């Protein structure tokens, strides 16, 4: 393995309290080491990072990069590929294509070029997760993981009805282990079941048809099971009534649930995802307003919840795709263009609709405002995560724009000149003066995601023993005012000067130079007591026969089906 010494760079490493100090970083055998451990006789690659910033590789906790919905999105969007083809470079760099529905090679290359080294696919249905892993295996360079969708799973709904929390927790541990997934995901809890039976969605307090409980009961039951399982990332929640005016009230009630979840230890109880889509005040599209202030207020008073932005990007053509089939049906009738919808056995439903965010559109401007208001009004940015819900509100390649908006009031003002002024007059954003620092951005994209995922021992920092995932950007924070010269922030973060993955240099001067590096796929490997495992086995076999057209074995994904699998062994509280 290469020995590397990075010298003279301004290091930003929040987990180790390093805030722009000039510090040497040494790498050996794919790990960060003490510089004294390097052996000159074995050869040392010295990188002079003078006038540049050095930080851990970025971590994206929510980006749709793999699975059946991505592949279908590619097929239904040929126009997304016509003018975006980039030929391969002999002998190893593969051809790239697609923007909102990029192929696997562009996903890996573009993330690496931006300095990101770990990405989470946030929604994979259990019966289709083998497909998801096939695509994750094909994405080059970066580490990956997937969250398994369980919100309207019929077996799970039966277990909640039976009021057997121990067997419910055991079932969730089984589904994580069987599908080689990393976290539990809820999408509009219970609504897919109501959609399939009655063609409607649910608010958080509505009762499910057939079952005598509510989406709030689903969230609470699974969140408490996640506590018992001691999962690192407790629960990833896509709130009910996404995309509907007035839904900020549902988001607030969802966040409040975290206060009533029985926790076995201090820390987060649940994570609310793409809050922009569930942050709407008003009772119609014409009266729509931002609920960002209210959501930030709840976040500030509730230490048990975190959230990501789902930041909308003006003038961006996207491909919306979600397991929230209810809203996709509504969006299709608004757009009157393409629409795809599917029912996935007894796991849930999904939909895909192309969309474009327009600069002068009133609703789209409100959407742009919400995420920025939440981030800028949050007192604890360690519980706020930058994401576009790629490819729903924007693309992952738009992250440098978001960095600029958060770091620079001038950047926000320059963008606001191009947007709908009536919408801006009804929002708090124009009056917010706060500007985040570069250290804050590193915290939100490196340190905090590593902690949220329980990987802070090896990811998200540059301390001794960490994985050697390093990003260096050609920007000198001592010579320019980042808030005024925000265009330089955008340029620097769009194309990293140098990126190291697992101790190997993969990007230089914003170009891929080593595409043969393959990242790991992380998954949770929880333990289940043997007596409980036997009860669970009987239950699952009976229910699969009752609800599915496939067999028990179809769910089981063997570790050898994953390229570079990395199990995170979990000692649960199940007894």
């Amino acid at each position: 393995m290469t020995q590397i010494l990075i010298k003279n760079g301004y290091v930003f490493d929040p987990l180790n309290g390093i805030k722009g100090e000039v510090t040497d970083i040494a790498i050996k055998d794919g790990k960060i080491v003490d510089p004294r451990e390097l052996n000159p006789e074995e050869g040392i690659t010295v990188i002079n990072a003078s006038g540049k910033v050095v930080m851990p590789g970025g971590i994206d906790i929510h980006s749709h990069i793999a699975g059946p919905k991505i592949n279908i999105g590619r097929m239904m969007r040929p126009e997304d590929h016509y003018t975006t083809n980039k030929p391969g470079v002999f002998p190893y760099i593969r051809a790239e294509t697609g923007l909102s529905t990029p192929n696997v090679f562009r996903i890996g290359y573009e993330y690496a070029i931006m300095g990101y080294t770990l990405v989470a696919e946030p929604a994979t249905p259990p019966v289709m997760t083998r497909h998801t892993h096939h695509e994750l295996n094909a994405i080059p360079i970066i580490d990956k993981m997937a969250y398994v969708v369980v919100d309207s799973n019929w077996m799970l709904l039966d277990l909640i009805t039976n009021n057997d929390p121990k067997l419910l927790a055991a079932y969730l541990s089984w589904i994580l282990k069987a599908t080689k997934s990393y976290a539990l995901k809820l999408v509009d809890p219970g609504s897919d079941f109501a959609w399939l039976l009655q063609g409607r969605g649910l608010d958080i307090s509505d009762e499910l048809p057939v079952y005598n409980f509510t989406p709030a009961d689903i969230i609470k039951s699974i969140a408490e099971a996640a506590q018992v399982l001691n999962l690192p990332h407790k629960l990833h929640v896509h709130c009910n009534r996404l995309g509907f005016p007035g839904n900020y009230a549902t988001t607030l009630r969802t966040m409040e649930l975290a206060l009533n979840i029985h926790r076995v230890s201090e820390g987060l109880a649940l994570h609310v995802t793409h809050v922009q889509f569930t942050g709407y005040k008003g009772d119609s599209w014409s009266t729509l307003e931002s609920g960002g202030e209210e959501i930030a207020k709840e976040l500030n008073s509730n230490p048990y919840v975190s959230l990501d932005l789902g930041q909308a990007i003006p003038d961006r053509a996207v491909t919306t795709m979600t397991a929230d089939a209810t809203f996709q049906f509504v969006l299709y009738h608004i757009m009157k263009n393409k629409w795809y919808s599917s029912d996935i056995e007894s796991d849930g439903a999904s939909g895909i609709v192309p969309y474009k965010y327009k600069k002068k559109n009133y609703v789209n401007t409100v959407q742009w405002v919400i995420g920025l208001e939440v981030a800028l009004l949050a007192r604890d940015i360690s519980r706020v995560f930058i994401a576009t819900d790629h490819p729903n509100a924007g693309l992952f390649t738009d992250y440098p724009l978001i960095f600029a908006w958060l770091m620079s009031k001038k950047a926000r003002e320059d963008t606001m000149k191009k947007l709908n002024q009536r919408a801006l007059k009804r929002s708090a954003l124009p009056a917010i003066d706060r500007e985040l620092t570069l250290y804050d951005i590193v915290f939100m994209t490196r340190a905090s995601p590593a902690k949220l995922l329980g990987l802070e021992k090896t990811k998200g920092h540059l301390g001794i023993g960490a994985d050697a995932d390093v990003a260096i950007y050609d920007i000198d924070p001592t010579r320019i005012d980042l808030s005024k010269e925000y265009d330089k922030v955008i340029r620097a973060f769009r194309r990293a000067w140098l990126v190291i993955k697992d101790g190997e240099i993969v990007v230089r001067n914003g170009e891929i130079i080593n595409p043969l590096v393959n990242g790991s796929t992380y998954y949770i490997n929880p333990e289940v007591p043997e007596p409980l495992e036997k009860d669970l086995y009987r239950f699952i076999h009976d229910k699969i026969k009752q609800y599915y057209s496939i067999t028990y074995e179809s769910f089981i994904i063997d570790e050898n089906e994953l390229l570079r699998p990395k199990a995170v062994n979990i000692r649960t509280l199940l007894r």
Side-chain angles (χ1 to χ4, degrees):
M1 297 291 286
T2 306
Q3 293 187 116
I4 298 174
L5 182 62
I6 304 170
K7 298 179 66 67
N8 306 319
Y10 298 106
V11 176
F12 286 81
D13 183 4
L15 287 181
N16 289 299
I18 301 174
K19 194 173 184 179
E21 290 94 335
V22 176
T23 305
D24 291 349
I25 302 295
I27 295 169
K28 184 177 182 178
D29 296 335
K31 293 286 186 180
I32 306 295
V33 299
D34 188 306
R36 292 171 294 186
E37 291 186 33
L38 300 184
N39 185 354
E41 294 182 2
E42 296 176 2
I44 301 172
T45 300
V46 178
I47 297 169
N48 182 9
S50 179
K52 299 173 176 61
V53 295
V54 182
M55 61 186 70
I59 301 173
D60 190 349
I61 66 163
H62 190 109
S63 179
H64 296 278
I65 59 171
K69 63 185 179 301
I70 308 297
N71 223 25
I72 293 165
R74 293 180 184 122
M75 289 189 287
M76 71 183 292
R77 294 295 311 276
E79 70 277 14
D80 190 52
H81 298 255
Y82 288 151
T83 61
T84 63
N85 295 326
K86 183 178 179 181
V89 179
F90 184 82
Y92 300 121
I93 295 179
R94 304 292 293 272
E96 304 171 44
T97 185
L99 292 178
S100 67
T101 56
N103 69 355
V104 290
F105 307 114
R106 174 158 284 170
I107 290 169
Y109 296 162
E110 288 294 334
Y111 263 115
I113 285 169
M114 291 200 310
Y116 275 73
T117 54
L118 169 60
V119 181
E121 159 54 52
T124 178
V127 297
M128 303 297 286
T129 299
R130 179 168 277 104
H131 178 144
T132 302
H133 281 300
H134 286 168
E135 291 202 40
L136 293 178
N137 287 344
I139 296 173
I141 301 174
I142 60 174
D143 294 326
K144 289 84 62 172
M145 61 176 58
Y147 310 154
V148 64
V149 176
V150 296
D151 52 85
S152 290
N153 180 294
W154 292 13
M155 285 195 278
L156 179 137
L157 298 179
D158 285 351
L159 283 166
I160 294 174
T161 298
N162 295 343
N163 194 26
D164 189 341
K166 187 178 287 189
L167 195 60
L168 171 62
Y171 168 72
L172 293 171
S173 72
W174 172 81
I175 210 163
L176 284 165
K177 189 172 183 177
T179 61
K180 299 297 181 288
S181 301
Y182 195 85
L184 301 170
K185 171 74 177 291
L186 303 185
V187 178
D188 199 357
S191 285
D192 278 344
F193 185 80
W195 167 254
L196 292 172
L197 268 64
Q198 299 178 347
R200 66 184 180 95
L202 300 173
D203 205 340
I204 191 170
S205 300
D206 295 339
E207 274 200 357
L208 275 74
V210 181
Y211 298 97
N212 296 317
F213 53 76
T214 67
D217 296 322
I218 296 175
I219 296 169
K220 189 171 185 295
S221 296
I222 300 177
E224 291 183 345
Q227 292 283 328
V228 171
L229 293 177
N230 200 25
L231 299 181
H233 184 29
K234 292 295 185 286
L235 185 61
H236 206 82
V237 182
H238 161 138
C239 294
N240 292 78
R241 293 196 57 74
L242 176 141
F244 290 93
N247 62 14
Y248 86 106
T250 299
T251 300
L252 293 177
R253 293 202 299 274
T254 303
M255 295 171 73
E256 289 164 3
L257 283 176
L259 297 169
N260 300 315
I261 291 167
H262 177 70
R263 296 179 302 279
V264 298
S265 62
E266 285 302 305
L268 298 174
L270 57 86
H271 175 89
V272 171
T273 192
H274 41 63
V275 74
Q276 172 269 129
F277 285 118
T278 58
Y280 305 159
K281 291 174 68 175
D283 55 12
S284 69
W285 294 116
S286 62
T287 62
L288 197 74
E289 293 184 49
S290 167
E293 284 185 281
E294 288 80 359
I295 291 169
K297 184 178 179 181
E298 175 61 29
L299 180 74
N300 290 337
S301 65
N302 185 341
Y304 304 117
V305 66
S306 59
L307 54 82
D308 63 74
L309 302 180
Q311 179 62 43
I313 308 296
D315 204 31
R316 175 61 73 200
V318 301
T319 305
T320 68
M321 52 181 66
T322 175
D324 193 336
T326 311
F327 178 69
Q328 291 298 74
F329 178 73
V330 173
L331 185 60
Y332 161 67
H333 284 86
I334 293 173
M335 299 304 296
K336 294 179 169 49
N337 195 351
K338 299 179 182 181
W339 171 48
Y340 168 86
S341 185
S342 71
D343 165 26
I344 305 167
E345 293 274 338
S346 303
D347 287 348
S350 64
I352 303 172
V353 178
Y355 187 79
K356 182 170 183 178
Y357 295 90
K358 298 176 182 178
K359 291 180 179 179
K360 295 297 184 180
N361 182 280
Y362 175 84
V363 171
N364 294 163
T365 296
V366 172
Q367 291 175 306
W368 178 77
V369 161
I370 294 169
L372 297 178
E373 285 184 349
V374 171
L376 293 168
L377 293 173
R379 289 198 293 266
D380 181 4
I381 59 163
S382 72
R383 292 187 287 120
V384 178
F385 299 84
I386 294 171
T388 58
D389 188 22
H390 169 88
N392 285 287
L395 311 184
F396 66 79
T397 50
D398 291 320
Y399 290 172
L401 282 173
I402 304 174
F403 301 165
W405 290 328
L406 294 175
M407 295 174 68
S408 169
K409 184 173 183 181
K410 184 177 186 301
R412 298 194 293 271
E413 290 174 341
D414 287 350
T415 301
M416 282 190 274
K417 293 173 185 175
K418 305 171 186 177
L419 303 183
N420 186 288
Q421 298 304 303
R422 182 169 70 93
L424 292 171
K425 288 175 182 176
R426 303 179 71 176
S427 85
L429 185 63
I432 298 175
D433 294 326
R434 185 183 183 188
E435 295 177 329
L436 300 187
T437 66
L438 182 57
Y439 185 80
D440 293 332
I441 297 298
V442 178
F443 214 119
M444 297 169 77
T445 58
R446 273 82 176 166
S448 294
K451 291 184 71 174
L452 183 77
L453 299 173
L455 296 174
E456 66 271 24
K457 289 185 178 179
T458 57
K459 299 290 185 185
H461 71 98
L462 298 175
I464 292 173
D467 291 344
D469 299 342
V470 185
I472 305 176
Y473 299 95
D474 190 6
I475 190 166
D476 189 337
T478 67
R479 293 196 172 191
I480 65 171
D481 185 336
L482 299 181
S483 67
K484 293 179 180 177
E485 298 181 74
Y486 64 85
D487 57 319
K488 294 182 178 179
V489 172
I490 296 171
R491 282 201 303 270
F493 280 98
R494 273 187 171 153
R495 305 188 79 82
W497 181 72
L498 191 130
V499 178
I500 299 168
K501 179 73 188 80
D502 290 333
E504 299 289 341
I505 298 173
V506 295
V507 172
R508 192 187 296 275
N509 294 322
E511 298 292 339
I512 297 293
I513 64 167
N514 185 359
L516 299 182
V517 171
N518 288 308
S520 301
T521 298
Y522 285 78
Y523 71 93
I524 294 297
N525 186 35
E527 62 169 7
V528 178
E530 192 173 332
L532 190 56
E533 208 165 40
K534 291 179 180 178
D535 293 341
L536 177 65
Y537 185 81
R538 285 193 296 270
F539 170 83
I540 292 172
H541 271 266
D542 290 344
K543 291 298 180 181
I544 287 176
K545 288 178 182 178
Q546 181 180 354
Y547 292 143
Y548 288 89
S549 66
I550 60 176
T551 64
Y552 174 88
E553 288 72 23
S554 298
F555 285 90
I556 309 300
I557 298 172
D558 196 83
E559 192 179 65
N560 63 23
E561 297 181 58
L562 276 57
L563 185 66
R564 293 193 65 198
K566 189 162 284 190
V568 176
N569 296 316
I570 299 296
R571 184 173 176 80
T572 72
L573 301 179
L574 284 170
R575 296 293 181 266

